[in-house]
PDB file of all heavy atoms in Angstrom:
ATOM      1  N   LYS D   1     102.925 136.783  18.205  1.00 87.00           N
ATOM      2  CA  LYS D   1     104.068 136.594  19.113  1.00 87.00           C
ATOM      3  C   LYS D   1     105.246 137.428  18.766  1.00 87.00           C
ATOM      4  O   LYS D   1     105.934 138.024  19.644  1.00 87.00           O
ATOM      5  CB  LYS D   1     104.438 135.124  19.177  1.00 87.00           C
ATOM      6  CG  LYS D   1     103.470 134.214  19.890  1.00 87.00           C
ATOM      7  CD  LYS D   1     103.956 132.772  19.820  1.00 87.00           C
ATOM      8  CE  LYS D   1     102.874 131.855  20.334  1.00 87.00           C
ATOM      9  NZ  LYS D   1     103.264 130.421  20.194  1.00 87.00           N
ATOM     10  N   GLU D   2     105.541 137.555  17.491  1.00 91.00           N
ATOM     11  CA  GLU D   2     106.667 138.370  17.011  1.00 91.00           C
ATOM     12  C   GLU D   2     106.412 139.861  17.324  1.00 91.00           C
ATOM     13  O   GLU D   2     107.334 140.559  17.760  1.00 91.00           O
ATOM     14  CB  GLU D   2     106.843 138.224  15.474  1.00 91.00           C
ATOM     15  CG  GLU D   2     107.408 136.855  15.117  1.00 91.00           C
ATOM     16  CD  GLU D   2     107.331 136.599  13.606  1.00 91.00           C
ATOM     17  OE1 GLU D   2     106.944 137.489  12.815  1.00 91.00           O
ATOM     18  OE2 GLU D   2     107.716 135.472  13.210  1.00 91.00           O
ATOM     19  N   ILE D   3     105.194 140.311  17.137  1.00 94.00           N
ATOM     20  CA  ILE D   3     104.843 141.702  17.485  1.00 94.00           C
ATOM     21  C   ILE D   3     105.026 141.961  18.968  1.00 94.00           C
ATOM     22  O   ILE D   3     105.577 142.965  19.374  1.00 94.00           O
ATOM     23  CB  ILE D   3     103.395 142.028  17.018  1.00 94.00           C
ATOM     24  CG1 ILE D   3     103.330 142.036  15.466  1.00 94.00           C
ATOM     25  CG2 ILE D   3     102.910 143.328  17.606  1.00 94.00           C
ATOM     26  CD1 ILE D   3     101.908 142.047  14.880  1.00 94.00           C
ATOM     27  N   ILE D   4     104.540 141.034  19.779  1.00 90.00           N
ATOM     28  CA  ILE D   4     104.666 141.174  21.243  1.00 90.00           C
ATOM     29  C   ILE D   4     106.127 141.195  21.648  1.00 90.00           C
ATOM     30  O   ILE D   4     106.507 141.968  22.500  1.00 90.00           O
ATOM     31  CB  ILE D   4     103.900 140.036  21.951  1.00 90.00           C
ATOM     32  CG1 ILE D   4     102.368 140.232  21.748  1.00 90.00           C
ATOM     33  CG2 ILE D   4     104.215 139.989  23.445  1.00 90.00           C
ATOM     34  CD1 ILE D   4     101.555 139.042  22.158  1.00 90.00           C
ATOM     35  N   SER D   5     106.933 140.358  20.998  1.00 87.00           N
ATOM     36  CA  SER D   5     108.367 140.300  21.334  1.00 87.00           C
ATOM     37  C   SER D   5     109.100 141.582  20.966  1.00 87.00           C
ATOM     38  O   SER D   5     110.023 142.007  21.658  1.00 87.00           O
ATOM     39  CB  SER D   5     109.018 139.133  20.632  1.00 87.00           C
ATOM     40  OG  SER D   5     108.560 137.917  21.161  1.00 87.00           O
ATOM     41  N   SER D   6     108.635 142.215  19.913  1.00 92.00           N
ATOM     42  CA  SER D   6     109.363 143.417  19.410  1.00 92.00           C
ATOM     43  C   SER D   6     108.784 144.740  19.927  1.00 92.00           C
ATOM     44  O   SER D   6     109.453 145.779  19.883  1.00 92.00           O
ATOM     45  CB  SER D   6     109.368 143.459  17.854  1.00 92.00           C
ATOM     46  OG  SER D   6     108.059 143.586  17.381  1.00 92.00           O
ATOM     47  N   ASP D   7     107.501 144.720  20.397  1.00 92.00           N
ATOM     48  CA  ASP D   7     106.879 145.952  20.896  1.00 92.00           C
ATOM     49  C   ASP D   7     106.364 145.775  22.295  1.00 92.00           C
ATOM     50  O   ASP D   7     105.340 145.123  22.472  1.00 92.00           O
ATOM     51  CB  ASP D   7     105.749 146.307  19.932  1.00 92.00           C
ATOM     52  CG  ASP D   7     104.955 147.543  20.324  1.00 92.00           C
ATOM     53  OD1 ASP D   7     105.276 148.157  21.384  1.00 92.00           O
ATOM     54  OD2 ASP D   7     104.004 147.892  19.634  1.00 92.00           O
ATOM     55  N   PRO D   8     107.034 146.337  23.269  1.00 83.00           N
ATOM     56  CA  PRO D   8     106.615 146.145  24.687  1.00 83.00           C
ATOM     57  C   PRO D   8     105.199 146.588  24.979  1.00 83.00           C
ATOM     58  O   PRO D   8     104.550 146.079  25.909  1.00 83.00           O
ATOM     59  CB  PRO D   8     107.615 146.970  25.451  1.00 83.00           C
ATOM     60  CG  PRO D   8     108.767 147.191  24.551  1.00 83.00           C
ATOM     61  CD  PRO D   8     108.235 147.138  23.155  1.00 83.00           C
ATOM     62  N   SER D   9     104.632 147.491  24.234  1.00 94.00           N
ATOM     63  CA  SER D   9     103.288 148.008  24.493  1.00 94.00           C
ATOM     64  C   SER D   9     102.207 147.111  23.811  1.00 94.00           C
ATOM     65  O   SER D   9     101.038 147.302  24.118  1.00 94.00           O
ATOM     66  CB  SER D   9     103.157 149.426  24.010  1.00 94.00           C
ATOM     67  OG  SER D   9     103.194 149.478  22.598  1.00 94.00           O
ATOM     68  N   ALA D  10     102.607 146.231  22.967  1.00 95.00           N
ATOM     69  CA  ALA D  10     101.597 145.458  22.182  1.00 95.00           C
ATOM     70  C   ALA D  10     100.772 144.555  23.023  1.00 95.00           C
ATOM     71  O   ALA D  10      99.571 144.477  22.833  1.00 95.00           O
ATOM     72  CB  ALA D  10     102.310 144.661  21.081  1.00 95.00           C
ATOM     73  N   LEU D  11     101.372 143.900  24.025  1.00 92.00           N
ATOM     74  CA  LEU D  11     100.613 142.928  24.831  1.00 92.00           C
ATOM     75  C   LEU D  11      99.462 143.664  25.553  1.00 92.00           C
ATOM     76  O   LEU D  11      98.367 143.182  25.588  1.00 92.00           O
ATOM     77  CB  LEU D  11     101.549 142.274  25.827  1.00 92.00           C
ATOM     78  CG  LEU D  11     100.869 141.212  26.709  1.00 92.00           C
ATOM     79  CD1 LEU D  11     100.242 140.098  25.875  1.00 92.00           C
ATOM     80  CD2 LEU D  11     101.839 140.630  27.712  1.00 92.00           C
ATOM     81  N   CYS D  12      99.718 144.796  26.124  1.00 93.00           N
ATOM     82  CA  CYS D  12      98.700 145.534  26.826  1.00 93.00           C
ATOM     83  C   CYS D  12      97.551 145.923  25.892  1.00 93.00           C
ATOM     84  O   CYS D  12      96.364 145.834  26.229  1.00 93.00           O
ATOM     85  CB  CYS D  12      99.272 146.784  27.482  1.00 93.00           C
ATOM     86  SG  CYS D  12      98.094 147.692  28.519  1.00 93.00           S
ATOM     87  N   LYS D  13      97.905 146.342  24.676  1.00 96.00           N
ATOM     88  CA  LYS D  13      96.861 146.695  23.666  1.00 96.00           C
ATOM     89  C   LYS D  13      96.003 145.489  23.332  1.00 96.00           C
ATOM     90  O   LYS D  13      94.776 145.562  23.187  1.00 96.00           O
ATOM     91  CB  LYS D  13      97.522 147.268  22.432  1.00 96.00           C
ATOM     92  CG  LYS D  13      98.186 148.598  22.672  1.00 96.00           C
ATOM     93  CD  LYS D  13      98.969 149.071  21.406  1.00 96.00           C
ATOM     94  CE  LYS D  13      99.724 150.333  21.671  1.00 96.00           C
ATOM     95  NZ  LYS D  13     100.581 150.722  20.553  1.00 96.00           N
ATOM     96  N   ILE D  14      96.668 144.352  23.137  1.00 96.00           N
ATOM     97  CA  ILE D  14      95.951 143.148  22.807  1.00 96.00           C
ATOM     98  C   ILE D  14      95.046 142.717  23.981  1.00 96.00           C
ATOM     99  O   ILE D  14      93.885 142.360  23.796  1.00 96.00           O
ATOM    100  CB  ILE D  14      96.959 141.979  22.464  1.00 96.00           C
ATOM    101  CG1 ILE D  14      97.686 142.325  21.196  1.00 96.00           C
ATOM    102  CG2 ILE D  14      96.231 140.650  22.359  1.00 96.00           C
ATOM    103  CD1 ILE D  14      98.924 141.484  20.939  1.00 96.00           C
ATOM    104  N   GLU D  15      95.573 142.739  25.167  1.00 93.00           N
ATOM    105  CA  GLU D  15      94.770 142.389  26.369  1.00 93.00           C
ATOM    106  C   GLU D  15      93.562 143.337  26.516  1.00 93.00           C
ATOM    107  O   GLU D  15      92.510 142.843  26.933  1.00 93.00           O
ATOM    108  CB  GLU D  15      95.662 142.438  27.614  1.00 93.00           C
ATOM    109  CG  GLU D  15      96.658 141.283  27.692  1.00 93.00           C
ATOM    110  CD  GLU D  15      97.580 141.410  28.857  1.00 93.00           C
ATOM    111  OE1 GLU D  15      97.718 142.493  29.450  1.00 93.00           O
ATOM    112  OE2 GLU D  15      98.206 140.385  29.171  1.00 93.00           O
ATOM    113  N   ASN D  16      93.708 144.576  26.187  1.00 95.00           N
ATOM    114  CA  ASN D  16      92.570 145.510  26.305  1.00 95.00           C
ATOM    115  C   ASN D  16      91.461 145.139  25.329  1.00 95.00           C
ATOM    116  O   ASN D  16      90.330 145.504  25.572  1.00 95.00           O
ATOM    117  CB  ASN D  16      93.044 146.966  26.109  1.00 95.00           C
ATOM    118  CG  ASN D  16      93.817 147.521  27.278  1.00 95.00           C
ATOM    119  OD1 ASN D  16      93.660 146.992  28.370  1.00 95.00           O
ATOM    120  ND2 ASN D  16      94.654 148.515  27.029  1.00 95.00           N
ATOM    121  N   ILE D  17      91.798 144.498  24.284  1.00 96.00           N
ATOM    122  CA  ILE D  17      90.789 144.028  23.323  1.00 96.00           C
ATOM    123  C   ILE D  17      90.225 142.701  23.726  1.00 96.00           C
ATOM    124  O   ILE D  17      89.020 142.470  23.795  1.00 96.00           O
ATOM    125  CB  ILE D  17      91.414 143.918  21.892  1.00 96.00           C
ATOM    126  CG1 ILE D  17      91.717 145.326  21.353  1.00 96.00           C
ATOM    127  CG2 ILE D  17      90.472 143.152  20.958  1.00 96.00           C
ATOM    128  CD1 ILE D  17      92.564 145.333  20.082  1.00 96.00           C
ATOM    129  N   VAL D  18      91.096 141.758  24.055  1.00 95.00           N
ATOM    130  CA  VAL D  18      90.713 140.374  24.260  1.00 95.00           C
ATOM    131  C   VAL D  18      90.086 140.106  25.618  1.00 95.00           C
ATOM    132  O   VAL D  18      89.101 139.385  25.714  1.00 95.00           O
ATOM    133  CB  VAL D  18      91.929 139.432  24.018  1.00 95.00           C
ATOM    134  CG1 VAL D  18      91.576 137.971  24.315  1.00 95.00           C
ATOM    135  CG2 VAL D  18      92.400 139.575  22.554  1.00 95.00           C
ATOM    136  N   HIS D  19      90.627 140.701  26.668  1.00 91.00           N
ATOM    137  CA  HIS D  19      90.112 140.345  28.012  1.00 91.00           C
ATOM    138  C   HIS D  19      88.628 140.666  28.211  1.00 91.00           C
ATOM    139  O   HIS D  19      87.909 139.843  28.785  1.00 91.00           O
ATOM    140  CB  HIS D  19      90.980 141.062  29.059  1.00 91.00           C
ATOM    141  CG  HIS D  19      92.296 140.428  29.253  1.00 91.00           C
ATOM    142  ND1 HIS D  19      93.183 140.814  30.230  1.00 91.00           N
ATOM    143  CD2 HIS D  19      92.938 139.419  28.577  1.00 91.00           C
ATOM    144  CE1 HIS D  19      94.275 140.065  30.180  1.00 91.00           C
ATOM    145  NE2 HIS D  19      94.173 139.226  29.160  1.00 91.00           N
ATOM    146  N   PRO D  20      88.130 141.811  27.733  1.00 94.00           N
ATOM    147  CA  PRO D  20      86.662 142.028  27.880  1.00 94.00           C
ATOM    148  C   PRO D  20      85.844 141.007  27.088  1.00 94.00           C
ATOM    149  O   PRO D  20      84.773 140.583  27.588  1.00 94.00           O
ATOM    150  CB  PRO D  20      86.474 143.457  27.334  1.00 94.00           C
ATOM    151  CG  PRO D  20      87.782 144.113  27.461  1.00 94.00           C
ATOM    152  CD  PRO D  20      88.801 143.028  27.242  1.00 94.00           C
ATOM    153  N   LEU D  21      86.305 140.588  25.946  1.00 97.00           N
ATOM    154  CA  LEU D  21      85.608 139.548  25.151  1.00 97.00           C
ATOM    155  C   LEU D  21      85.584 138.232  25.895  1.00 97.00           C
ATOM    156  O   LEU D  21      84.605 137.517  25.894  1.00 97.00           O
ATOM    157  CB  LEU D  21      86.214 139.440  23.758  1.00 97.00           C
ATOM    158  CG  LEU D  21      86.135 140.641  22.844  1.00 97.00           C
ATOM    159  CD1 LEU D  21      87.001 140.466  21.616  1.00 97.00           C
ATOM    160  CD2 LEU D  21      84.700 140.972  22.507  1.00 97.00           C
ATOM    161  N   VAL D  22      86.710 137.899  26.480  1.00 94.00           N
ATOM    162  CA  VAL D  22      86.802 136.676  27.249  1.00 94.00           C
ATOM    163  C   VAL D  22      85.874 136.689  28.459  1.00 94.00           C
ATOM    164  O   VAL D  22      85.179 135.744  28.772  1.00 94.00           O
ATOM    165  CB  VAL D  22      88.275 136.411  27.655  1.00 94.00           C
ATOM    166  CG1 VAL D  22      88.400 135.240  28.667  1.00 94.00           C
ATOM    167  CG2 VAL D  22      89.103 136.103  26.426  1.00 94.00           C
ATOM    168  N   ALA D  23      85.839 137.865  29.123  1.00 91.00           N
ATOM    169  CA  ALA D  23      84.964 138.015  30.326  1.00 91.00           C
ATOM    170  C   ALA D  23      83.495 137.866  29.908  1.00 91.00           C
ATOM    171  O   ALA D  23      82.731 137.234  30.669  1.00 91.00           O
ATOM    172  CB  ALA D  23      85.243 139.365  30.965  1.00 91.00           C
ATOM    173  N   GLN D  24      83.094 138.337  28.777  1.00 95.00           N
ATOM    174  CA  GLN D  24      81.757 138.197  28.299  1.00 95.00           C
ATOM    175  C   GLN D  24      81.405 136.720  28.071  1.00 95.00           C
ATOM    176  O   GLN D  24      80.318 136.226  28.452  1.00 95.00           O
ATOM    177  CB  GLN D  24      81.522 138.955  26.963  1.00 95.00           C
ATOM    178  CG  GLN D  24      81.476 140.440  27.123  1.00 95.00           C
ATOM    179  CD  GLN D  24      81.450 141.147  25.787  1.00 95.00           C
ATOM    180  OE1 GLN D  24      81.497 140.557  24.726  1.00 95.00           O
ATOM    181  NE2 GLN D  24      81.401 142.487  25.802  1.00 95.00           N
ATOM    182  N   ASP D  25      82.327 136.007  27.452  1.00 97.00           N
ATOM    183  CA  ASP D  25      82.117 134.592  27.205  1.00 97.00           C
ATOM    184  C   ASP D  25      82.027 133.793  28.539  1.00 97.00           C
ATOM    185  O   ASP D  25      81.194 132.933  28.673  1.00 97.00           O
ATOM    186  CB  ASP D  25      83.262 134.030  26.337  1.00 97.00           C
ATOM    187  CG  ASP D  25      82.975 132.633  25.808  1.00 97.00           C
ATOM    188  OD1 ASP D  25      83.236 131.669  26.569  1.00 97.00           O
ATOM    189  OD2 ASP D  25      82.475 132.541  24.694  1.00 97.00           O
ATOM    190  N   ARG D  26      82.858 134.173  29.490  1.00 94.00           N
ATOM    191  CA  ARG D  26      82.882 133.474  30.768  1.00 94.00           C
ATOM    192  C   ARG D  26      81.533 133.724  31.537  1.00 94.00           C
ATOM    193  O   ARG D  26      80.948 132.831  32.098  1.00 94.00           O
ATOM    194  CB  ARG D  26      84.035 133.979  31.642  1.00 94.00           C
ATOM    195  CG  ARG D  26      84.192 133.262  32.984  1.00 94.00           C
ATOM    196  CD  ARG D  26      85.451 133.596  33.718  1.00 94.00           C
ATOM    197  NE  ARG D  26      85.578 135.000  34.035  1.00 94.00           N
ATOM    198  CZ  ARG D  26      86.578 135.790  33.597  1.00 94.00           C
ATOM    199  NH1 ARG D  26      87.578 135.284  32.870  1.00 94.00           N
ATOM    200  NH2 ARG D  26      86.636 137.035  33.923  1.00 94.00           N
ATOM    201  N   ALA D  27      80.999 134.938  31.424  1.00 94.00           N
ATOM    202  CA  ALA D  27      79.705 135.224  32.036  1.00 94.00           C
ATOM    203  C   ALA D  27      78.564 134.455  31.384  1.00 94.00           C
ATOM    204  O   ALA D  27      77.710 133.965  32.074  1.00 94.00           O
ATOM    205  CB  ALA D  27      79.414 136.727  31.953  1.00 94.00           C
ATOM    206  N   ALA D  28      78.632 134.320  30.097  1.00 97.00           N
ATOM    207  CA  ALA D  28      77.589 133.530  29.383  1.00 97.00           C
ATOM    208  C   ALA D  28      77.686 132.058  29.762  1.00 97.00           C
ATOM    209  O   ALA D  28      76.648 131.425  29.961  1.00 97.00           O
ATOM    210  CB  ALA D  28      77.767 133.733  27.867  1.00 97.00           C
ATOM    211  N   PHE D  29      78.877 131.538  29.907  1.00 97.00           N
ATOM    212  CA  PHE D  29      79.042 130.166  30.320  1.00 97.00           C
ATOM    213  C   PHE D  29      78.439 129.973  31.719  1.00 97.00           C
ATOM    214  O   PHE D  29      77.684 129.019  31.971  1.00 97.00           O
ATOM    215  CB  PHE D  29      80.528 129.776  30.363  1.00 97.00           C
ATOM    216  CG  PHE D  29      80.832 128.511  31.053  1.00 97.00           C
ATOM    217  CD1 PHE D  29      80.719 127.283  30.429  1.00 97.00           C
ATOM    218  CD2 PHE D  29      81.249 128.494  32.404  1.00 97.00           C
ATOM    219  CE1 PHE D  29      80.976 126.089  31.105  1.00 97.00           C
ATOM    220  CE2 PHE D  29      81.512 127.292  33.071  1.00 97.00           C
ATOM    221  CZ  PHE D  29      81.374 126.121  32.405  1.00 97.00           C
ATOM    222  N   ARG D  30      78.790 130.867  32.614  1.00 95.00           N
ATOM    223  CA  ARG D  30      78.271 130.771  34.004  1.00 95.00           C
ATOM    224  C   ARG D  30      76.722 130.750  34.005  1.00 95.00           C
ATOM    225  O   ARG D  30      76.142 130.014  34.765  1.00 95.00           O
ATOM    226  CB  ARG D  30      78.840 131.887  34.839  1.00 95.00           C
ATOM    227  CG  ARG D  30      78.432 131.841  36.278  1.00 95.00           C
ATOM    228  CD  ARG D  30      79.106 132.920  37.122  1.00 95.00           C
ATOM    229  NE  ARG D  30      80.395 132.411  37.526  1.00 95.00           N
ATOM    230  CZ  ARG D  30      81.505 133.120  37.604  1.00 95.00           C
ATOM    231  NH1 ARG D  30      81.486 134.357  37.274  1.00 95.00           N
ATOM    232  NH2 ARG D  30      82.629 132.571  37.996  1.00 95.00           N
ATOM    233  N   GLN D  31      76.136 131.589  33.203  1.00 96.00           N
ATOM    234  CA  GLN D  31      74.694 131.738  33.188  1.00 96.00           C
ATOM    235  C   GLN D  31      74.040 130.478  32.623  1.00 96.00           C
ATOM    236  O   GLN D  31      72.943 130.105  33.077  1.00 96.00           O
ATOM    237  CB  GLN D  31      74.314 132.969  32.337  1.00 96.00           C
ATOM    238  CG  GLN D  31      72.827 133.219  32.320  1.00 96.00           C
ATOM    239  CD  GLN D  31      72.491 134.510  31.574  1.00 96.00           C
ATOM    240  OE1 GLN D  31      73.361 135.254  31.186  1.00 96.00           O
ATOM    241  NE2 GLN D  31      71.227 134.739  31.406  1.00 96.00           N
ATOM    242  N   ASN D  32      74.670 129.795  31.660  1.00 96.00           N
ATOM    243  CA  ASN D  32      74.067 128.666  30.970  1.00 96.00           C
ATOM    244  C   ASN D  32      74.501 127.295  31.476  1.00 96.00           C
ATOM    245  O   ASN D  32      74.010 126.273  31.006  1.00 96.00           O
ATOM    246  CB  ASN D  32      74.342 128.788  29.475  1.00 96.00           C
ATOM    247  CG  ASN D  32      73.708 130.017  28.876  1.00 96.00           C
ATOM    248  OD1 ASN D  32      72.554 130.293  29.150  1.00 96.00           O
ATOM    249  ND2 ASN D  32      74.480 130.774  28.096  1.00 96.00           N
ATOM    250  N   ALA D  33      75.469 127.230  32.357  1.00 94.00           N
ATOM    251  CA  ALA D  33      76.037 125.940  32.823  1.00 94.00           C
ATOM    252  C   ALA D  33      74.992 125.194  33.642  1.00 94.00           C
ATOM    253  O   ALA D  33      74.127 125.779  34.297  1.00 94.00           O
ATOM    254  CB  ALA D  33      77.305 126.165  33.617  1.00 94.00           C
ATOM    255  N   LYS D  34      75.092 123.862  33.614  1.00 94.00           N
ATOM    256  CA  LYS D  34      74.083 123.007  34.298  1.00 94.00           C
ATOM    257  C   LYS D  34      74.672 122.224  35.466  1.00 94.00           C
ATOM    258  O   LYS D  34      73.922 121.704  36.327  1.00 94.00           O
ATOM    259  CB  LYS D  34      73.530 121.965  33.287  1.00 94.00           C
ATOM    260  CG  LYS D  34      72.957 122.611  32.047  1.00 94.00           C
ATOM    261  CD  LYS D  34      71.637 123.334  32.326  1.00 94.00           C
ATOM    262  CE  LYS D  34      71.045 123.849  31.001  1.00 94.00           C
ATOM    263  NZ  LYS D  34      70.676 125.221  31.031  1.00 94.00           N
ATOM    264  N   SER D  35      75.976 122.018  35.519  1.00 95.00           N
ATOM    265  CA  SER D  35      76.550 121.178  36.557  1.00 95.00           C
ATOM    266  C   SER D  35      76.534 121.842  37.938  1.00 95.00           C
ATOM    267  O   SER D  35      76.431 123.038  38.087  1.00 95.00           O
ATOM    268  CB  SER D  35      78.026 120.938  36.196  1.00 95.00           C
ATOM    269  OG  SER D  35      78.673 120.172  37.219  1.00 95.00           O
ATOM    270  N   ASP D  36      76.671 121.003  38.973  1.00 93.00           N
ATOM    271  CA  ASP D  36      76.753 121.549  40.346  1.00 93.00           C
ATOM    272  C   ASP D  36      78.097 122.195  40.634  1.00 93.00           C
ATOM    273  O   ASP D  36      78.236 123.036  41.497  1.00 93.00           O
ATOM    274  CB  ASP D  36      76.465 120.424  41.368  1.00 93.00           C
ATOM    275  CG  ASP D  36      77.498 119.274  41.342  1.00 93.00           C
ATOM    276  OD1 ASP D  36      78.055 119.026  40.263  1.00 93.00           O
ATOM    277  OD2 ASP D  36      77.653 118.616  42.358  1.00 93.00           O
TER     278      ASP D  36
END
């Protein structure tokens, strides 16, 4: 949070790493979910 507050470009760099990983997890959940 301190890095993001002090470096305006940090958030974008973090998102470029984290968002694809989150999307992969979301796809795996969708594929394995059982509920209607």
Side-chain angles (χ1 to χ4, degrees):
K1 286 177 189 177
E2 291 169 3
I3 291 168
I4 291 168
S5 292
S6 66
D7 178 0
S9 69
L11 182 60
C12 185
K13 292 174 185 174
I14 294 164
E15 288 174 343
N16 286 337
I17 292 168
V18 175
H19 286 185
L21 296 170
V22 170
Q24 288 172 359
D25 192 275
R26 185 170 60 239
F29 167 83
R30 182 175 274 141
Q31 184 175 354
N32 297 314
K34 306 289 186 229
S35 176
D36 61 334

